Amino acid sequence: MQTVLVTGSAGFIGYHLCKSLLADGLRVVGLDALTDYYDVSLKQARHAMLEDAHFTPVIGRVEAPGLVLDLFAKHRPDCVVHLAAQAGVRHSIDNPRSYLESNIAGTFEILEAARAHPPKHMLLASTSSAYGANTQMPYRETQKADLQMSFYAATKKAGESMAHSYAHLFDLPVTMFRFFTVYGPWGRPDMALFKFTRAVFEGKPIDVYNHGDMRRDFTYIDDLVHAIRLLMQVVPQRPQDGIVPAGDSLSPVAPHRIVNIGNSNAVQLSEFIAAIEEATGLSATRNLMPMQPGDVPATWADADLLKTLTGYRPRTDVRQGVANFVAWYRDYYGT
Ligand SMILES: NC(=O)c1ccc[n+]([C@@H]2O[C@H](COP(=O)([O-])OP(=O)(O)OC[C@H]3O[C@@H](n4cnc5c(N)ncnc54)[C@H](O)[C@@H]3O)[C@@H](O)[C@H]2O)c1
């Protein structure tokens, strides 16, 4: 039986991934520090939902020296999916140190543990924010991406580079995901869908940044987990003679590849808000605000590489995905 180590297992994406792995009978070790960045009880509830004979929850910080190394030594994971991170663009402006610790020191500990006990494949979460100030849309993995606009994005880009050096030096196969605004049931309270839905139910106005002129490539959680599961099977190989197929982001010198996971569809914020109004049956009062520092007006994924590698493309329509979220929200919070 395969063992998968998932960090950030009590987080939004980690929870859904673990659930999918356990449903297929895999053994899962889930590490999470249950940080108080948002409602800890939501994280505890997610972990409680994962209770299973094949699930080993571990509460601890990924950057705690020796902790991850011990987990690798004890469980010898075949595959590692590193999702634990301090997330959020806006929070990184006032709290950069937590990003340095969780995202940079944390990723370093994961890489060191993998060097000591190499898994067959390591998959690490990066973000569409890594594209930063790029204006060429849709974003392709082969584009240069050196102009990060927030410290959050900078720590994630640093993680990509750190993983590349370990992949090169120690022949560790690494896939880096660049996720595009993931949403769905059990979602994050700091993200727009959750905040807007809560405000609409409470009859409060919603803050709409850049006066509503925002576009996001929204990725539904089930599609994302499906893509991760497929990519787990696509283990990057160091290319022969440094020759990389056109359109592939594979490094010429390491078994390291970056893959966008997005819907390839930049949805206007107004359309997204309309989907919330439709699902809740309530109308939103919009509080138009200027652009937030560190944020970007649009994201849009080119998902051709994902399709080439796995044969799969995320498809869920935003109205359906938002309706599923609102149904979960009503049920969970008894609204
Ligand atoms: N949700 C998105 O739209 C999105 C987009 C791009 C990238 N990502 C990335 O995907 C990953 C998962 O995101 P998510 O949306 O599930 O976020 P999340 O905040 O719900 O999950 C992250 C989990 O990691 C845990 N964690 C944080 N710091 C830790 C540490 N130092 N040690 C151990 N655990 C720690 C948190 O307690 C949390 O449960 C993150 O790496 C994030 O940066 C997410």
Side-chain angles (χ1 to χ4, degrees):
M1 182 194 289
Q2 274 217 336
T3 300
V4 183
L5 170 64
V6 178
T7 72
S9 50
F12 167 42
I13 297 170
Y15 157 70
H16 283 279
L17 175 65
C18 290
K19 199 172 67 163
S20 159
L21 295 167
L22 291 166
D24 285 347
L26 280 88
R27 192 177 290 131
V28 178
V29 180
L31 171 65
D32 201 297
L34 305 178
T35 67
D36 63 2
Y37 169 56
Y38 63 77
D39 185 8
V40 175
S41 71
L42 183 60
K43 297 182 183 185
Q44 287 166 330
R46 294 189 191 117
H47 247 191
M49 296 282 291
L50 294 174
E51 225 174 82
D52 183 292
H54 291 148
F55 182 62
T56 308
V58 180
I59 308 303
R61 296 197 70 95
V62 73
E63 72 273 26
L67 172 66
V68 175
L69 183 65
D70 287 350
L71 287 181
F72 272 64
K74 183 170 173 200
H75 298 282
R76 294 298 174 109
D78 302 282
C79 181
V80 176
V81 187
H82 177 43
L83 302 170
Q86 176 58 57
V89 165
R90 285 163 206 156
H91 186 72
S92 73
I93 295 169
D94 295 327
N95 303 277
R97 189 170 298 279
S98 61
Y99 292 73
L100 178 79
E101 290 165 356
S102 291
N103 302 2
I104 295 194
T107 301
F108 168 73
E109 293 297 335
I110 292 279
L111 294 171
E112 272 292 279
R115 175 185 179 177
H117 305 285
K120 296 189 188 92
H121 193 186
M122 312 241 310
L123 304 100
L124 291 82
S126 185
T127 169
S128 58
S129 305
Y131 289 104
N134 288 15
T135 50
Q136 196 191 329
M137 302 263 175
Y139 292 145
R140 283 208 177 90
E141 300 89 341
T142 48
Q143 275 176 26
K144 198 170 154 191
D146 286 340
L147 305 175
Q148 284 70 48
M149 305 278 274
S150 67
F151 191 63
Y152 164 63
T155 61
K156 286 293 184 176
K157 185 74 197 321
E160 295 181 3
S161 298
M162 285 155 57
H164 182 272
S165 68
Y166 272 63
H168 167 70
L169 290 167
F170 309 116
D171 227 6
L172 284 172
V174 171
T175 297
M176 300 289 327
F177 308 122
R178 286 189 182 155
F179 295 151
F180 285 70
T181 318
V182 189
Y183 73 103
W186 295 95
R188 266 170 46 196
D190 63 318
M191 291 182 70
L193 177 56
F194 200 115
K195 289 202 285 196
F196 288 179
T197 301
R198 183 166 51 199
V200 165
F201 275 129
E202 291 175 356
K204 293 183 179 155
I206 58 172
D207 288 340
V208 178
Y209 293 106
N210 206 26
H211 304 281
D213 186 15
M214 298 273 266
R215 287 181 305 144
R216 283 288 177 273
D217 199 329
F218 291 101
T219 314
Y220 188 62
I221 185 66
D222 291 357
D223 293 353
L224 185 98
V225 167
H226 192 63
I228 293 176
R229 294 289 312 269
L230 292 171
L231 284 170
M232 284 169 67
Q233 312 304 322
V234 184
V235 182
Q237 310 279 331
R238 189 189 296 264
Q240 295 283 326
D241 308 322
I243 296 165
V244 176
D248 196 345
S249 62
L250 186 66
S251 163
V253 294
H256 177 281
R257 177 186 276 126
I258 296 170
V259 186
N260 288 341
I261 307 184
N263 248 36
S264 318
N265 184 17
V267 174
Q268 278 287 351
L269 193 55
S270 55
E271 194 186 320
F272 193 65
I273 296 169
I276 297 172
E277 292 180 318
E278 188 183 303
T280 56
L282 297 166
S283 60
T285 310
R286 292 156 179 77
N287 185 18
L288 299 183
M289 308 271 286
M291 187 73 176
Q292 286 255 302
D295 221 343
V296 294
T299 66
W300 179 10
D302 182 319
D304 284 357
L305 180 57
L306 173 67
K307 173 83 165 99
T308 305
L309 295 171
T310 65
Y312 175 69
R313 226 180 242 292
R315 280 269 170 254
T316 302
D317 175 70
V318 91
R319 285 172 65 198
Q320 182 60 55
V322 166
N324 294 351
F325 172 80
V326 170
W328 167 79
Y329 186 96
R330 278 185 203 276
D331 182 50
Y332 188 75
Y333 291 102
T335 306

